[in-house]
Amino acid sequence: MAEWTTDGERLMQEGTDAWTRGDRDTAERAFNRLLDEFPERPEGYNKVGVILADSGQLDEAEKYFLTALKWDRKYAPALTNLGNIYLERGEVERSIQHYLLALDSDPEYPPAHRNLSVAYRRQGRYSAFVSHYKRSQRLDNQRAREEIRRRGGFRMPVIPPVVLWVAAAIGVVVILTVVHR
């Protein structure tokens, strides 16, 4: 497998940020560059597959997820995304198999737990549904807290004291105006 570099991380982050903003074209360009520069890594194939699946091209997306697994057969995101395709097609048992493979690879991968819960709900296995759904929520919250810590914590915006004094003065004037009417 090709060595992952800061360039790979940068392209991955650039594409992910664009996708999060809804900028599909920029995301697709970044992920295709990731494929060009790191053709023996699973990340780019997986991300392009996600874009294809989102546009309804499930057969083509499936090929990309399978290619990602060619480079890393235990890559949890691609296993989970294959499960999603099978679930979308109504192949619930097959989707469950892929979610469980993803969890064998990464027991702490929230999307695999969340999507497995959906498959279990479709089967009427409500206890398993609740268990995996709650686990996905706990893991998502834990990852969010870790990301906040990684970025240096949550910081309230600093408001200059003069702005506070002006706001207080305006408040006093408004109150006095209302009281004296």
Side-chain angles (χ1 to χ4, degrees):
M1 187 181 311
E3 184 178 332
W4 194 242
T5 66
T6 55
D7 287 340
E9 290 176 19
R10 180 187 51 77
L11 286 169
M12 186 74 153
Q13 191 62 53
E14 179 183 319
T16 301
D17 290 346
W19 183 255
T20 301
R21 287 191 315 270
D23 185 353
R24 178 191 176 102
D25 293 336
T26 300
E28 195 167 4
R29 279 192 302 276
F31 295 141
N32 278 313
R33 282 198 330 260
L34 191 63
L35 281 178
D36 292 342
E37 292 183 30
F38 301 91
E40 296 179 3
R41 297 282 309 196
E43 294 86 352
Y45 296 101
N46 182 64
K47 290 296 191 176
V48 171
V50 167
I51 291 172
L52 291 167
D54 185 65
S55 66
Q57 300 175 60
L58 299 184
D59 291 339
E60 198 62 27
E62 181 180 21
K63 291 175 190 174
Y64 275 84
F65 298 139
L66 289 170
T67 302
L69 293 172
K70 170 185 161 192
W71 296 111
D72 181 353
R73 64 184 181 86
K74 292 186 170 195
Y75 188 59
L79 287 164
T80 301
N81 288 325
L82 266 177
N84 294 345
I85 286 187
Y86 300 139
L87 190 63
E88 185 84 15
R89 291 178 181 159
E91 300 175 47
V92 179
E93 273 305 318
R94 195 172 181 194
S95 72
I96 289 172
Q97 291 171 353
H98 282 79
Y99 298 140
L100 291 173
L101 286 170
L103 291 172
D104 281 345
S105 175
D106 182 357
E108 305 294 302
Y109 189 57
H113 282 286
R114 183 173 36 259
N115 298 342
L116 180 58
S117 76
V118 171
Y120 282 149
R121 188 181 72 216
R122 286 194 186 172
Q123 287 187 323
R125 295 170 64 183
Y126 296 109
S127 178
F129 155 67
V130 169
S131 173
H132 283 280
Y133 185 74
K134 284 182 175 181
R135 179 87 184 263
S136 76
Q137 295 301 300
R138 282 193 301 271
L139 291 168
D140 277 336
N141 290 336
Q142 178 183 346
R143 287 188 177 192
R145 285 190 303 274
E146 289 168 1
E147 179 64 17
I148 289 170
R149 277 195 289 278
R150 188 185 68 74
R151 291 182 182 206
F154 180 75
R155 300 171 201 253
M156 293 293 292
V158 178
I159 301 172
V162 69
V163 172
L164 295 174
W165 281 107
V166 169
I170 291 171
V172 168
V173 169
V174 168
I175 290 171
L176 290 174
T177 304
V178 170
V179 170
H180 288 296
R181 282 189 175 187

